[in-house]
């Protein structure tokens, strides 16, 4: 009896290992081990090139916590940006997914239309939007005489924040719309049809039936958009390069500048570790909170 | 649930939104038809004449046929690998409710929180040690590691919509677990698979930084995005070629997306009879 | 004509790579605007020496990529960098060119930037100049005959232009790198306070004995930045390099701060535009107004590269062959570091040569001596000042803080 039990347990263990190992190995090899290697640099003073590397213990971390005003303002920017971007992106993406799930002409083309910005290269997006904000808005303001087009969207520190958020949301909505569309497909039509017969309106149907059932999608989307917003780099890099001055510099961009422009690779690695810990804390908290709300069929 | 008049109004509003939404793309298109000086003079104006010259130029400079195949190969291999690895692992981790399983799950999902720039140089070193640099094969394999986290997360969540009873039906025949998985469970995960394919194929097709780091030594193995970026310099940007190059790069992706969208509808109609 | 040359070059390069005939040198360059010229040169070298030059050109992520390559052991035979401070940055990787015969054929002034303690660490690629560039037609249309040389003269000229409904400056302030090149030109005569030697000046900054907030000439720097912004059109912080070139070329702006490398882009918009250099204002004395002139873009041979001797042979060919000597003046249309090289036909290059011949003050790009990493950091701080984020005192303090941090980090 015990022998058979153990054999069954071994078989289950092998099955578990066999099915999960390939994925885990790929992740360890190409992300986690390199990241651990980078962490060792956070305890050094290294410019990324010298063959000799100097260990300095926790000095980088002390500096980062005490005398780095740039990192402080980058954190404030990033957190503010994250709140706005995550909220806006998820609400609009969900709304779009719901509307484009209904019976509408040409909804495939419409879905593609909203998705396209997500596949255009970010350097192009940066340059095209730069043109829109400066020359384009000049033309629009000449045509419409609306004050909004006369503002300096990229040159004024506060407007630049709005510009970065706008372009970021514009670029990413399609992606999350895809996730929500997939989620909506799993909502059984019978339940919705039954609710129609009961006489409940679309809004009530959405909040009582649809939303609880698509919580897995919401969890994925919010989790991913949260970590992406905290890591925000590409759109900012191509649109403002963190400027004017440091008005739109996110933590990730600050890390990039530290490591590659200031040539302080060790210090940059320390900042990366801090960013990772920040993301880890916030997302795990979000994950556990949302997972509790998921409904299992 | 058809309400003809309401649906029409919503349609029109959505179409209007979509058109405004795509205005930047419209700018890319009209500027790809202009000459350099025309673009510099006024970016938002319509082209004075339609000329395909920029496309021919970009096509040649980017060595389009060769690089198209490279990009296609890398994207296909990367996406297929990600779907395979993450569906199997995501399923198993979701069904196994142990501490170990939760730990492995967290390990698999953790990369989503790590900013790419913080480990990319070490990644190049690892890739070189494993002889994965300067080859499209190598790039495809590295993409598995980068794409699995999100995809596995998605599968992990969606497996919950597949009733556990089906697992037992599948495995009870003494079938090997993998076969059972692909014949019974996997088809039910179709919406997620489609999303996973779309998401991964799109970012792999358009990715720039990793191919730059891995493939920069091998001109024959370059991807389309790398070639398109070469139009951008600090002191001179070949706008006309860059815009054409971008369109040449994203058009296959858009076509792919449209085709796949139609598949979702077919799959949904068939899969609606489940339960 | 150009396209078929390109196609030919690509076919030749691919063929050469595929057949693997002879040696192949791996070159890693930036400045993609020169890709045509790089390929043409490679084609010529292939024909004359049978060696293939595999040139990879990047811009945006050049430094990142170079570091990844050097760190992972994927060392190119030849790469590019700035001069001065980069001599120290790449010190573990560069081959010492001091005893190479062809180095004697280069202008001594071009070699100052790459020489450290008597050792030559790189091969000067381009000699360049930068200052204020003006559109001659616009100036004459506005009735400006005397070219401005002091801050007040610039102000007067700007007012005249504005009165005519023209935008005097296209600021370029959106690019962080335009700020340093503009600002440090105003500060250029500072060497006179330090025994005529920039090295002395920078040493004092590095040791902390001198701080930016104690340099009284910094107030003139701020004055000039204020002036450019004031007359820089409705959205001065949004003007980037393209904006500068296109507005100058079309005559919508009269003055930009750029270098002779910009001429190519300017002419692509308006091929027959008439441009020239204005001397940069350094305060109220016109005698010291001048241009910035130096060789900064540097070619370096990797000492751990697989084909060092072949790389040196290529450099020798570049310096001594007919093609090599004409490459920079005729094809790249800039100034060559080779002694006795012919003049380029580019208007700004010729303007540089005649200004130098007339003994106009010319200053080396001394700011490249600031430790590697400061250029962008200081540029961004100055950008913040122009955007109104910091006042003068705060900006000076920020400059000092950033500078000190980087100096400490490199010790």
């Amino acid at each position: 009896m015990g022998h058979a039990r153990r054999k069954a347990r071994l078989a289950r263990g092998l099955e578990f290992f066999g099915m999960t190992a390939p994925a885990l190995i790929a992740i360890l090899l190409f992300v986690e081990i390199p990241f651990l290697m980078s962490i060792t640099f956070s305890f050094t003073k290294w410019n990324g090139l010298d063959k000799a590397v100097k260990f300095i213990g926790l000095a980088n971390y002390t500096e980062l916590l005490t005398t780095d005003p740039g990192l402080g303002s980058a954190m404030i920017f990033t957190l503010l940006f994250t709140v706005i971007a995550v909220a806006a992106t998820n609400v609009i993406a969900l709304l779009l997914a719901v509307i484009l799930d209904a019976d509408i002409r040409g909804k495939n083309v419409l879905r593609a239309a909203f998705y396209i910005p997500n596949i255009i290269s970010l350097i192009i997006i940066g340059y095209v939007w730069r043109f829109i904000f400066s020359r384009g808005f000049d033309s629009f303001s000449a045509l419409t005489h609306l004050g909004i087009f006369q503002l300096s969207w990229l040159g004024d520190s506060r407007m630049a924040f709005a510009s970065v958020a706008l372009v970021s949301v514009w670029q990413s909505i399609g992606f999350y719309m895809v996730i929500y569309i997939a989620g909506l497909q799993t909502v059984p039509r019978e339940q919705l049809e039954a609710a129609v017969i009961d006489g409940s309106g679309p809004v009530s149907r959405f909040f009582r039936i649809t939303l609880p059932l698509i919580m897995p999608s919401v969890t994925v989307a919010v989790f991913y958009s949260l970590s992406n917003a905290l890591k925000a780099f590409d759109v900012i890099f191509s649109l403002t390069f963190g400027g004017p001055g440091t008005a739109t510099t996110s933590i990730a961009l600050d890390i990039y500048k530290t490591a590659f422009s200031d040539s302080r690779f060790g210090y940059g690695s320390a900042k990366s570790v801090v960013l990772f810990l920040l993301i880890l804390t916030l997302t795990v908290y979000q994950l556990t909170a949302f997972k509790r709300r998921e409904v299992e069929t | 649930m058809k309400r003809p008049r309401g649906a029409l109004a919503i349609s029109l509003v959505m179409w209007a939104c979509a058109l405004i939404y795509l205005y930047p793309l419209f700018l890319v298109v009209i500027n790809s038809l202009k000459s350099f000086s025309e673009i510099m003079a006024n970016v938002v104006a319509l082209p004075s004449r339609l000329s395909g010259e920029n496309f021919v130029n970009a096509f040649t400079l980017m060595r389009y046929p060769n690089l198209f195949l490279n990009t296609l190969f890398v994207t296909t291999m990367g996406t297929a690998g990600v779907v395979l690895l993450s569906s199997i692992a995501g399923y198993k981790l979701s069904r196994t409710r142990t501490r170990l399983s939760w730990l492995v799950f967290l390990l698999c999902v953790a990369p989503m929180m790590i900013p790419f720039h913080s480990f990319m140089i070490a990644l190049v070193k690892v890739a070189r040690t494993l002889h994965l640099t300067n080859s499209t094969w190598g790039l495809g394999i590295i993409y598995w590691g980068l794409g699995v986290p999100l995809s596995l997360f998605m599968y992990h969540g969606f497996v919950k919509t597949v009733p556990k009873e089906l697992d037992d039906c599948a495995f009870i025949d003494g079938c090997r677990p993998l076969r059972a998985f692909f014949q019974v469970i996997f088809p039910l995960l179709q919406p997620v698979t489609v999303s996973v394919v779309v998401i991964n194929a799109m970012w792999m097709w358009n990715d720039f930084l990793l191919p730059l780091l891995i493939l920069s030594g091998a001109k024959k193995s370059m991807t389309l995005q790398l070639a398109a970026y070469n139009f951008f310099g600090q002191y001179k940007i070949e706008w006309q070629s860059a815009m054409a190059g971008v369109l040449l790069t994203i058009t296959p992706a858009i076509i792919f997306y449209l085709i796949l969208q139609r598949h979702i509808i077919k799959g949904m109609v068939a899969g609606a009879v489940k339960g | 004509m150009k396209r078929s040359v390109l196609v030919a070059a690509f076919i030749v390069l691919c063929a050469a790579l595929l057949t693997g005939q002879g040696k192949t040198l791996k070159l890693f360059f930036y400045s993609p605007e020169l890709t045509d010229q790089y390929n043409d040169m490679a084609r010529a070298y292939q024909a004359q020496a049978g060696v293939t030059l595999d040139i990879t050109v990047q811009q945006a992520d050049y430094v990142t990529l170079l570091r990844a390559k050097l760190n992972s052991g994927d060392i190119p035979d030849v790469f590019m960098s700035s001069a001065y401070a980069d001599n120290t940055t790449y010190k573990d990787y560069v081959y010492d060119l001091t005893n190479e015969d062809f180095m004697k054929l280069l202008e001594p002034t071009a070699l100052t930037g790459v020489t450290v303690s008597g050792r030559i660490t790189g091969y000067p690629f381009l000699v360049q100049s930068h200052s204020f560039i003006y559109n001659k037609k616009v100036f004459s249309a506005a009735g400006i005959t005397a070219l401005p040389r002091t801050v007040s003269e610039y102000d007067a000229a700007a007012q005249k232009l504005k009165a005519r409904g023209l935008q005097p400056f296209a600021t370029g302030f959106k690019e962080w790198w335009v700020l340093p090149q503009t600002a440090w030109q105003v500060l250029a005569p500072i060497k006179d306070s330090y025994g005529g030697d920039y090295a002395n000046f920078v040493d004092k900054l590095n040791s902390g004995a001198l701080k930016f907030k104690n340099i009284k000439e910094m107030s003139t720097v701020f004055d000039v930045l204020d002036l450019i912004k004031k007359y820089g059109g409705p959205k001065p912080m949004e003007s980037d390099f393209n904006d500068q070139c296109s507005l100058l070329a079309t005559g919508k702006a009269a003055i930009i701060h750029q270098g002779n490398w910009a001429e190519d882009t300017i002419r692509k918009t308006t091929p027959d535009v008439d441009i020239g250099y204005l001397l940069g204002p350094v305060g109220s004395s016109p005698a010291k107004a001048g241009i910035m002139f130096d060789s900064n873009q540097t070619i370096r041979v990797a000492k751990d590269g697989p084909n060092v001797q072949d790389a040196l042979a290529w450099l020798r060919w570049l310096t001594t062959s007919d093609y090599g000597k004409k490459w920079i003046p005729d094809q790249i249309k800039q100034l060559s570091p080779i002694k006795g090289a012919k003049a380029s036909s580019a208007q700004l290059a010729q303007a540089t040569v005649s200004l130098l011949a007339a003994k106009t003050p010319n200053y080396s790009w001394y700011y490249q001596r600031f430790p590697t990493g400061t250029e962008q950091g200081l540029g961004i701080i100055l950008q913040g000042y122009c955007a109104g984020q910091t006042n003068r005192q705060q900006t000076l303090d920020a400059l000092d803080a950033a500078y000190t941090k980087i100096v400490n980090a490199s010790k």
Side-chain angles (χ1 to χ4, degrees):
Chain A
M1 175 76 150
H3 181 73
R5 264 261 196 89
R6 253 185 288 133
K7 220 174 163 196
R9 277 244 289 257
L10 190 65
R12 273 207 307 273
L14 275 176
E15 189 183 297
F16 179 83
F17 178 74
M19 289 177 95
T20 58
L24 188 58
I25 291 175
I27 291 174
L28 283 171
L29 267 181
F30 300 122
V31 183
E32 286 164 351
I33 291 178
F35 185 55
L36 286 172
M37 285 164 71
S38 304
I39 294 183
T40 59
F41 290 127
S42 71
F43 301 109
T44 70
K45 189 189 241 185
W46 188 45
N47 69 355
L49 277 172
D50 284 349
K51 294 190 173 163
V53 168
K54 191 170 152 203
F55 275 91
I56 55 170
L58 290 172
N60 282 331
Y61 290 96
T62 335
E63 181 182 345
L64 164 172
L65 288 170
T66 52
T67 70
D68 198 329
L71 186 61
S73 60
M75 281 210 157
I76 295 175
F77 169 84
T78 307
L79 289 171
L80 220 62
F81 172 83
T82 300
V83 168
I84 294 178
V86 171
T89 307
N90 280 287
V91 167
I92 300 177
L94 185 52
L95 192 65
L96 275 177
V98 168
I99 294 177
L100 294 180
D101 195 43
D103 216 353
I104 294 187
R105 283 269 182 84
K107 67 178 166 188
N108 276 343
V109 178
L110 278 173
R111 283 172 174 168
F114 287 103
Y115 191 76
I116 287 173
N118 195 243
I119 61 180
I120 306 178
S121 87
L122 280 150
I123 260 200
I124 295 278
I125 287 182
Y127 279 111
V128 170
W129 274 100
R130 277 206 249 179
F131 280 130
I132 295 179
F133 281 129
S134 44
R135 310 280 187 78
F137 276 20
D138 284 344
S139 313
F140 297 157
S141 92
L143 277 172
T144 63
H145 298 288
L146 283 174
I148 200 167
F149 292 126
Q150 282 159 359
L151 297 169
S152 179
W153 281 75
L154 291 176
D156 175 69
S157 308
R158 257 176 263 141
M159 289 305 296
F161 182 95
S163 312
V164 166
L166 179 82
V167 177
S168 201
V169 171
W170 172 85
Q171 193 262 342
S172 56
I173 282 182
F175 181 89
Y176 297 100
M177 184 188 70
V178 167
I179 296 182
Y180 284 126
I181 287 176
L184 287 172
Q185 308 304 324
T186 65
V187 175
R189 300 278 162 185
E190 310 88 57
Q191 282 197 34
L192 286 167
E193 274 158 19
V196 172
I197 292 171
D198 283 347
S200 58
V203 176
S204 146
R205 275 203 305 273
F206 176 77
F207 282 104
R208 279 193 309 117
I209 301 176
T210 315
L211 192 55
L213 283 173
I214 59 167
M215 277 313 280
S217 305
V218 179
T219 309
V220 173
V222 174
F223 176 54
Y224 200 55
S225 59
L226 181 62
S227 57
N228 273 347
L230 289 167
K231 291 190 287 184
F233 177 84
D234 294 305
V235 170
I236 303 177
F237 186 88
S238 59
L239 196 63
T240 60
F241 198 66
T246 54
T248 57
T249 303
S250 64
I251 303 179
L253 188 58
D254 182 63
I255 291 174
Y256 178 87
K257 287 190 205 170
T258 307
F260 295 105
S261 311
D262 293 356
S263 259
R264 300 187 63 190
F265 213 79
Y267 188 46
S269 301
K271 288 189 189 181
S272 305
V273 173
V274 169
L275 177 61
F276 167 70
L277 291 173
L278 176 70
I279 300 178
L280 185 70
T281 325
L282 290 175
T283 51
V284 167
Y285 175 73
Q286 178 255 326
L287 215 69
T288 14
F290 275 58
K291 281 264 178 210
R292 275 194 224 125
R293 299 223 206 128
E294 280 180 22
V295 170
E296 291 201 27
T297 52
Chain B
M1 293 203 308
K2 286 197 184 190
R3 285 203 222 118
R5 254 187 300 142
L8 188 61
I10 294 181
S11 262
L12 289 173
V13 170
M14 291 314 293
W15 277 97
C17 286
L19 286 173
I20 298 175
Y21 201 77
L22 286 181
Y23 179 68
L25 183 68
F26 174 70
L27 283 183
V28 174
V29 170
I30 60 173
N31 281 302
S32 66
L33 299 165
K34 294 186 200 165
S35 66
F36 183 87
S37 42
E38 245 192 288
I39 297 178
M40 292 299 261
N42 190 350
V43 174
V44 296
L46 288 172
S48 56
R49 57 181 175 79
L50 296 176
S51 149
E53 187 187 332
N54 295 331
F55 287 96
V56 176
N57 245 341
F59 191 91
T60 322
L61 285 172
M62 287 167 73
R63 289 180 292 138
Y64 196 81
N66 182 14
L67 266 52
F68 178 88
L69 288 172
N70 286 343
T71 318
L72 186 66
F73 177 76
V74 171
T75 305
T76 310
M77 194 188 150
T79 306
V82 168
V83 169
L84 221 68
L85 263 52
S86 52
S87 61
I88 297 176
Y91 162 76
K92 195 62 184 163
L93 289 173
S94 186
R95 288 301 198 221
T96 314
R97 296 262 152 210
T98 63
R99 278 244 180 89
L100 177 66
S101 172
W102 183 240
L103 184 68
V104 173
F105 175 67
L106 281 180
L107 267 181
C108 286
V109 155
M112 285 164 65
M113 311 171 211
I114 305 178
F116 184 64
H117 282 98
S118 58
F119 65 92
M120 65 182 185
I121 301 241
L123 173 59
V124 175
K125 227 173 184 165
V126 167
R128 227 178 118 75
T129 320
L130 297 171
H131 295 285
L132 294 173
T133 52
N134 294 331
S135 87
T136 45
W137 283 92
L139 184 59
I141 294 175
I142 298 176
Y143 273 143
W144 297 349
L146 298 178
V148 164
L150 172 66
S151 308
L152 188 148
F153 193 100
M154 289 173 71
Y155 275 115
H156 189 267
F158 276 75
V159 161
K160 296 200 182 94
T161 68
V162 177
K164 282 209 174 118
E165 298 78 54
L166 280 172
D167 287 14
D168 302 331
C169 292
F171 295 107
I172 209 165
D173 292 339
C175 261
R176 288 168 66 232
L178 274 183
R179 184 125 161 263
F181 174 78
F182 280 110
Q183 280 189 331
V184 183
I185 316 283
F186 191 71
L188 293 172
L189 298 172
Q190 187 172 27
V192 191
T193 303
V194 174
S195 306
V196 164
V197 168
V198 165
I199 287 171
N200 282 289
M202 290 300 173
W203 77 258
M204 287 179 195
W205 180 269
N206 289 288
D207 195 27
F208 169 70
L209 197 48
L210 188 65
L212 181 71
L213 292 168
I214 302 289
L215 294 176
S216 63
K219 289 237 169 66
K220 289 174 282 178
S221 309
M222 267 171 59
T223 63
L224 285 175
Q225 273 290 4
L226 291 180
Y229 270 57
N230 277 334
F231 297 124
F232 287 92
Q234 187 170 355
Y235 297 136
K236 186 165 99 185
I237 304 178
E238 299 283 351
W239 289 109
Q240 73 285 23
S241 308
M243 296 289 162
V246 161
L247 285 176
L248 286 173
T249 310
I250 69 174
T251 307
I254 297 178
I255 296 175
F256 175 73
Y257 182 83
L258 284 171
I259 295 176
L260 215 63
Q261 281 287 339
R262 237 171 266 162
H263 251 279
I264 301 183
I265 298 299
K266 277 199 202 144
M268 284 316 95
V269 172
V273 198
K274 78 165 165 79
Chain C
M1 163 60 185
K2 190 183 85 164
R3 207 174 62 212
S4 54
V5 165
L6 266 169
V7 173
F10 268 100
I11 293 176
V12 167
L13 274 174
C14 290
L17 281 169
L18 288 170
T19 59
Q21 267 185 3
K23 287 258 182 77
T24 303
L25 281 180
K26 286 195 168 208
L27 280 66
F28 190 50
F29 285 169
Y30 46 88
S31 297
E33 67 271 12
L34 300 177
T35 307
D36 291 352
Q37 292 90 334
Y38 292 150
N39 288 331
D40 198 72
M41 182 269 297
R43 207 171 45 94
Y45 192 58
Q46 160 79 17
Q48 292 189 9
V51 171
T52 312
L53 299 179
D54 178 5
I55 307 181
T56 308
V57 188
Q58 277 301 326
Q59 180 73 53
D61 293 281
Y62 181 86
V63 171
T64 317
L65 196 52
L66 181 62
R67 267 170 225 232
K69 278 174 171 316
L70 294 175
N71 267 305
S72 67
D74 181 14
I75 310 218
D77 293 298
V78 176
F79 60 95
M80 227 176 231
S81 79
S82 293
Y84 295 106
D86 273 357
N87 298 333
T88 330
T89 310
Y90 294 104
K91 64 178 178 354
D92 288 341
Y93 293 93
V94 294
Y95 180 83
D96 186 344
L97 295 167
T98 319
N99 298 318
E100 299 300 322
D101 48 325
F102 53 84
M103 296 308 285
K104 302 187 186 44
L105 300 170
L106 301 175
E107 287 282 354
T109 46
L111 290 172
T112 40
V114 292
T115 312
V116 179
S117 315
R119 289 173 48 244
I120 303 179
T121 61
Y123 181 98
F125 172 40
L126 293 173
V127 180
Q128 297 170 317
S129 53
H130 69 81
S131 185
F132 287 91
I133 304 176
Y134 76 108
N135 184 319
K136 294 187 182 174
K137 231 189 319 165
V138 173
F139 259 47
S140 61
I144 304 175
T145 44
L147 300 179
R149 285 189 295 168
T150 66
V151 180
S152 43
E153 283 171 20
Y154 267 86
D155 197 296
Q159 285 182 21
K160 262 196 175 159
L161 290 159
K162 204 155 180 212
R164 295 283 179 134
L166 294 159
Q167 182 178 317
F169 292 97
T171 67
F173 284 173
K174 192 168 198 308
E175 314 273 16
W176 60 263
W177 48 270
V178 172
L179 271 315
Q181 77 185 24
T182 313
W184 303 138
Q185 176 167 13
V186 180
L187 198 60
I190 194 86
K191 64 174 171 169
D192 296 337
S193 316
Y194 293 89
D197 186 6
Y198 283 120
N200 191 6
F201 166 65
V202 177
D203 279 342
K204 291 229 156 36
L205 274 174
N206 286 349
S207 68
L210 180 63
K211 297 233 179 258
F212 283 106
K213 63 179 179 227
N214 296 328
I215 302 177
K216 56 178 169 47
E217 288 88 348
M218 284 302 291
S219 70
T220 319
V221 172
F222 288 127
D223 287 339
V224 172
L225 291 178
D226 288 343
L227 181 80
I228 299 176
K229 185 178 176 192
K230 180 173 165 193
Y231 294 107
K235 295 184 182 175
M237 294 312 295
E238 297 196 14
S239 166
D240 60 11
F241 176 74
N242 285 297
D243 189 67
Q244 287 185 300
C245 290
S246 66
L247 288 183
L248 187 77
T250 53
K252 298 204 189 111
I255 310 172
I256 64 174
H257 188 112
Q258 274 302 334
N260 66 312
W261 54 79
E263 180 164 353
D264 199 31
T265 305
I266 298 172
R267 282 199 195 285
K268 267 196 114 175
T269 307
T270 312
D272 56 356
V273 68
D274 206 5
I275 51 181
Y277 272 132
L278 294 173
L279 305 183
V282 299
S284 49
S285 97
K288 293 199 176 176
I291 60 170
M292 306 298 286
F293 175 75
D294 210 335
S295 172
N296 186 46
Q297 202 159 342
T298 306
I299 291 176
R300 302 198 189 260
V301 176
K303 74 171 198 283
D304 298 321
N307 305 298
V308 174
Q309 291 308 315
D310 296 291
L312 296 173
W314 168 67
L315 280 177
R316 187 173 296 112
W317 172 83
L318 201 64
T319 323
T320 54
S321 69
D322 276 341
Y323 183 96
K325 289 197 270 197
K326 290 196 223 137
W327 186 48
I328 297 178
D330 287 346
Q331 298 218 14
I332 298 184
K333 302 214 176 72
Q334 294 196 35
L335 297 156
S336 165
I338 303 173
K339 272 190 209 168
K342 66 182 275 207
S344 159
S345 57
Q347 192 169 27
L348 288 177
Q350 295 199 330
T352 311
V353 170
S354 50
L355 281 170
L356 291 175
K359 304 277 188 241
T360 318
N362 73 89
Y363 302 99
S364 78
W365 294 15
Y366 67 94
Y367 50 89
Q368 293 290 344
R369 293 173 187 265
F370 295 160
T372 303
T374 51
E375 194 183 358
Q376 193 180 100
L378 300 185
I380 290 180
I381 292 171
L382 290 171
Q383 193 185 59
Y385 167 77
C386 293
Q389 288 170 2
T390 50
N391 62 29
R392 291 191 180 194
Q393 189 54 50
Q394 291 166 328
T395 310
L396 288 167
D397 289 336
L399 289 173
D400 282 323
Y403 197 95
T404 317
K405 267 205 171 176
I406 295 192
V407 168
N408 287 341
S410 54
K411 288 214 188 101

